[in-house]
Amino acid sequence: MEIMDKYKLGFSLDGFDPFTGYQMVPAHNGARDLVAKTDDVTGLIVVNDANKARIGNFRAQSTGAPLQVSDLGSLGRAARLPPRSEIRFTVFGSSPGFTFLTFKDEGGSLPTEGSFTISVKEVKRYKFFFAFLSDPLRKDVRGRIEPRFIMDKVRPIFEKQANVELEEFGHMRDVMVPHDIGNPIVPSKKVRGNMDVEDAIRFATGKELLDLVDFAVYPCWSVERNSGGSGTLGLTIDDGTQPVVFIELLAGGFDRYVHVIAHEIGHALHLHHSNRGLMFPTDASTSNFVAADEIEVLNPAP
Ligand SMILES: [Zn+2]
């Protein structure tokens, strides 16, 4: 038997990683569904640590009809699944940490055996605020970027996949920087003496305020990593203090904005680029998939 790639069956992103065989499940009775497919013989599925998770709610994947499975006398710990079936079931999270589902064919000519990681997670909260930049030459982009609606779509990307809550701290702010910070804004560019654009923005925001959050998001007119660069839509500077995220006005649509902001927040929460999903380095991919190793960075095991 095997655990099927449920995204191919039309599930939405919820912390399942088909590439590594992994499912994030929220602790304290959070629930995630999986789909098992059995071969020509009965399949046996076992939760290794019943204090971390249990399984139940077995039904036929195609019809949703409840399925009688023999649960082997150990409530939610193990089940015997009928042959030649696709069975949907629920994993319920209990206490945080890792456990495994092990599964195997009972008999058959080529019995398969495997294991699947279940990572049970507490809620992890990160605080941030939005600050609209302006300088003596340029006004802010308020009204041209509407972060609230965008964040309504960004939050579930982190919550459903990693049990991470992004908590907005206070109201949206305006940060007026008393120096020409350029168009595009290049954070490493010097504005005066040793002070660079990023320093000037942090100073105008206030250290006390930045100390209260995990990262700050600055909607702005245009941003680039280097002078003379082009094409950057968002940029995150994560240099040891609170990461700062710059998001520029985009010509593109709403979904593209959601992806770009979620990608940059991924950087602010210490994710690196990846060859698939949310952290793909260009916007050639607009998938918001977060992989198992990334989930473990966003919301580390206790
Ligand atoms: Zn990036």
Side-chain angles (χ1 to χ4, degrees), residues 43-165:
L44 180 67
I45 187 161
V46 179
V47 183
N48 273 41
D49 183 348
N51 292 320
K52 301 247 171 16
R54 60 196 172 82
I55 50 177
N57 197 16
F58 293 87
R59 59 257 199 229
Q61 162 61 14
S62 54
T63 62
L67 214 68
Q68 285 305 330
V69 304
S70 42
D71 84 347
L72 307 176
S74 49
L75 212 65
R77 171 88 201 276
R80 191 169 274 135
L81 306 179
R84 292 178 297 280
S85 309
E86 290 180 14
I87 300 126
R88 181 167 172 163
F89 63 99
T90 306
V91 183
F92 299 96
S94 302
S95 57
F98 291 102
T99 185
F100 299 90
L101 297 180
T102 53
F103 48 88
K104 64 175 179 189
D105 289 348
E106 295 197 303
S109 51
L110 285 169
T112 60
E113 217 175 288
S115 83
F116 188 92
T117 303
I118 302 293
S119 181
V120 182
K121 296 210 171 287
E122 299 276 10
V123 176
K124 170 119 179 120
R125 293 187 176 83
Y126 294 95
K127 285 201 196 109
F128 73 99
F129 60 77
F130 278 105
F132 286 88
L133 287 172
S134 59
D135 77 358
L137 300 180
R138 296 160 197 99
K139 60 198 227 52
D140 64 58
V141 297
R142 256 187 199 267
R144 301 168 73 194
I145 295 180
E146 190 31 86
R148 284 263 151 73
F149 298 130
I150 296 166
M151 287 309 293
D152 285 347
K153 298 285 184 192
V154 169
R155 274 196 191 86
I157 293 170
F158 292 93
E159 193 179 332
K160 295 216 170 83
Q161 295 185 89
N163 210 16
V164 156
E165 283 182 10

Side-chain angles (χ1 to χ4, degrees), residues 263-264 267 273 279-281:
H263 176 98
E264 294 305 328
H267 281 311
H273 281 151
M279 299 314 292
F280 193 79

Side-chain angles (χ1 to χ4, degrees), residues 213-235:
V213 295
D214 297 292
F215 64 93
V217 182
Y218 296 94
C220 62
W221 44 90
S222 178
V223 68
E224 288 298 332
R225 185 174 293 279
N226 305 302
S227 298
S230 70
T232 297
L233 308 173
L235 179 65

